[in-house]
Amino acid sequence: MNDDTPDSAQELADVLQDVRRHLLWQEETAGRALLVDAKVAAELQQQRAAASSVRSMIARAKTPEPAAAPPPPRPPAESPSRDTLHAAMKQPLGAARPLAAAAPPAAAPRAPMAASRPLASEAPRAAPAAGMLLEVPPSAPRYNGALPGVVEGERPTLDQIRRELGDCRRCKLCTGRKNIVFGSGNPRADLVFVGEGPGENEDLQGVPFVGAAGDLLTKMIGAMGFTRNDVYIANVVKCRPPGNRNPEPDEIAACEPFLRSQLLALQPKVIVALGKFAAQTLLRDTTPITRMRGKWRQYEGIQLMPTFHPAYLLRNSAEKRKAWEDLQQVMKLFGKHPGSSA
């Protein structure tokens, strides 16, 4: 059979032309591409992608990571200031205290001391013992052992405490007072007397124990071998209760942080608590003064002697002997020999 027909020749020419074009394309691409079917092309594409991924991982492993940028310099710490005040009273008063504490975080806003944190509304106090006679109702301000104006761990000064007290409006006693009776005596005293509150004469003069009860206390101090300039005298509340009535729980709660801060500033060797309110407030104890007196107790590591208040002794002269016995125990602790009684 003869295949040299015009149609066969044309088909052969077409095939040769396709082969020529293919060879030219292969030459142009330098053999980098092949004519394959779709399935083979897909498999080749997957293999190329896997190989590329492996090469990238090897390259990253060989390339050292850039060094981490150094942290920004820390801003210098602020020095302690007065309005970081909160409490020094958490440590025993008899223990040594550092003169400064770490500054608060820079991000914490700090408002002016006297204007921003009124003590009567914001300083809750530690809960008293169950059944305590002086227990404060839930609505009253409470004391937490801290005084605004003192860096935690720092020993305050009496001047600092007096400035923080200011023209105090923390309880209702402010409405009837003439003067705040802060305290008086030796700021380095080893012996401190704590009474209940100012009377009429104290309110007029702004000095504790200057009335009839004050005269008796002065004699008692003298009989112990001290003068009023040797000791320090303060009260639980700093303003006179109307008609010399007993101070009420909310009034004690508002004023007590200042008394405790005074004791922290003084750090005496001995405290003499004069009467029920002074003894029960400092010791958190409901025991009547008639049973508490004459027995050494401890307040924040300081020796405390409860005894009768001079005003009570003026009304009950027979009890002066017991009070003198209490004071003689204090004298012995200071190495003094008893003389005549008050």
Side-chain angles (χ1 to χ4, degrees):
M1 180 178 175
N2 188 3
D3 291 331
D4 293 332
T5 64
D7 291 339
S8 298
Q10 183 62 42
E11 289 176 0
L12 180 59
D14 292 340
V15 170
L16 291 174
Q17 184 66 24
D18 289 340
V19 171
R20 187 180 297 109
R21 284 197 298 267
H22 177 71
L23 292 174
L24 290 172
W25 176 73
Q26 287 279 26
E27 183 179 356
E28 290 173 0
T29 60
R32 287 192 299 269
L34 295 173
L35 288 177
V36 295
D37 62 21
K39 180 178 180 181
V40 175
E43 291 177 355
L44 289 173
Q45 184 66 26
Q46 291 177 0
Q47 292 173 6
R48 290 192 192 99
S52 176
S53 176
V54 171
R55 285 194 298 270
S56 298
M57 292 175 62
I58 294 172
R60 285 197 299 268
K62 291 181 179 180
T63 304
E65 295 184 1
R74 178 179 295 178
E78 297 180 9
S79 57
S81 67
R82 289 179 63 247
D83 54 349
T84 54
L85 304 180
H86 263 182
M89 305 285 303
K90 295 178 182 177
Q91 303 181 27
L93 297 190
R97 287 174 175 79
L99 295 179
R110 297 188 302 175
M113 177 181 62
S116 64
R117 290 186 288 182
L119 188 59
S121 62
E122 294 193 21
R125 70 173 182 174
M132 183 176 179
L133 295 181
L134 303 180
E135 186 172 1
V136 180
S139 60
R142 292 184 178 274
Y143 171 64
N144 68 349
L147 177 69
V150 180
V151 176
E152 184 171 352
E154 181 179 341
R155 180 178 175 181
T157 66
L158 292 173
D159 286 343
Q160 254 185 313
I161 300 164
R162 182 62 186 89
R163 285 195 299 270
E164 176 63 24
L165 180 60
D167 183 26
C168 185
R169 302 284 167 180
R170 295 170 176 86
C171 79
K172 58 185 177 294
L173 292 182
C174 68
T175 59
R177 70 157 186 251
K178 291 182 173 59
N179 285 294
I180 292 175
V181 184
F182 179 69
S184 68
N186 187 345
R188 295 182 177 84
D190 287 331
L191 177 59
V192 173
F193 291 84
V194 177
E196 174 183 317
E200 182 179 8
N201 290 287
E202 289 79 8
D203 182 44
L204 291 171
Q205 299 183 41
V207 180
F209 284 93
V210 292
D215 290 340
L216 178 55
L217 178 61
T218 300
K219 292 179 182 178
M220 294 163 66
I221 293 170
M224 295 175 69
F226 296 94
T227 69
R228 285 183 66 125
N229 291 330
D230 297 324
V231 304
Y232 194 88
I233 304 172
N235 284 305
V236 172
V237 296
K238 311 303 184 189
C239 299
R240 180 195 179 194
N244 291 352
R245 64 161 171 77
N246 292 333
E248 295 178 353
D250 61 316
E251 297 161 357
I252 293 173
C255 221
E256 182 186 1
F258 294 100
L259 169 62
R260 290 181 175 267
S261 293
Q262 284 175 296
L263 295 174
L264 174 59
L266 293 162
Q267 294 193 0
K269 292 180 180 178
V270 177
I271 299 169
V272 176
L274 300 170
K276 176 183 77 172
F277 286 91
Q280 291 186 350
T281 298
L282 291 175
L283 296 175
R284 297 289 195 270
D285 192 337
T286 61
T287 304
I289 189 65
T290 52
R291 297 211 321 263
M292 196 186 304
R293 56 145 294 269
K295 299 173 184 176
W296 282 111
R297 302 289 296 272
Q298 287 247 335
Y299 166 78
E300 300 285 351
I302 299 173
Q303 295 280 64
L304 186 148
M305 175 59 68
T307 192
F308 295 122
H309 194 284
Y312 172 81
L313 297 177
L314 290 175
R315 301 190 302 269
N316 299 273
S317 296
E319 302 284 38
K320 286 184 178 181
R321 179 181 56 82
K322 295 179 182 177
W324 178 235
E325 291 172 356
D326 303 340
L327 298 181
Q328 285 179 320
Q329 293 191 62
V330 176
M331 293 169 64
K332 289 178 182 178
L333 192 145
F334 282 100
K336 294 181 176 290
H337 299 289
S340 60
S341 67

